[in-house]
Amino acid sequence: MKTIRYFIIILFMFIGGSTFAQQISKAELQVNGLTCSMCSRATETSLKSLGFIEDVTPDLNRNVFVLTFKSGQKVDLDQIRDKVQDAGFSIGDLSATINFKNTAVDDAGLAQLDGSVFQFINAKSKTLDGPVIARIMDKDFITSSAFKKKAAELKSDTYLKGKGLVEGKETRIFHLSI
């Protein structure tokens, strides 16, 4: 009887762990500074080197890349930013489809999902369940003028630094708009 109970507990842990393994399913990335197809190709190649990216589909008319991510892989938004910058360009906008699973957003706009902390700029005291398209509003994920405007509006050290104290630890906090 104990063996069956342990088996069921392990099964739930495995299923529960894989449920949050992929919190972001796709993203639309606008890149600033692209002037030709070679620039686009350099950015695409740089992005494809990330192990969690399944596919990169460029749209040269809009300077946008549609990113799809490998199933079961955790997506690192900071690595995406770094790869765009390594290719010599900057992010103008990044919108991602984030799969929330009954995730509570507290009255301050904070939510935690699979080890990531999100600060919602325009959502508080609600529960998110299912895919939500969110725009990442942090520095280097939007234009510098848009960041300066939002920083003046929010007047928050956490927004300026991209980090804050969560449960007593300095933690990376992504600022989102939905």
Side-chain angles (χ1 to χ4, degrees), residues 24 26-28 69 77 94-98 132-136:
I24 303 175
K26 66 179 179 176
E28 191 169 283
F69 303 106
L77 297 173
L94 178 62
S95 295
T97 302
I98 303 173
V132 174
I133 297 174
R135 183 174 180 215
I136 290 69

Side-chain angles (χ1 to χ4, degrees), residues 32-47:
N32 292 338
L34 299 177
T35 57
C36 65
S37 62
M38 289 181 65
C39 296
S40 176
R41 185 70 179 143
T43 304
E44 181 181 352
T45 301
S46 184
L47 290 167

Side-chain angles (χ1 to χ4, degrees), residues 4 28 31 35 56 74 79 104 134 143 171:
I4 293 173
E28 191 169 283
V31 178
T35 57
V56 178
K74 185 169 173 137
Q79 285 183 3
T143 64
T171 305

Side-chain angles (χ1 to χ4, degrees), residues 11-32:
L11 181 64
F12 278 118
M13 287 173 56
F14 178 77
I15 291 170
S18 65
T19 301
F20 292 103
Q22 185 180 3
Q23 63 191 15
I24 303 175
S25 57
K26 66 179 179 176
E28 191 169 283
L29 170 69
Q30 181 184 21
V31 178
N32 292 338

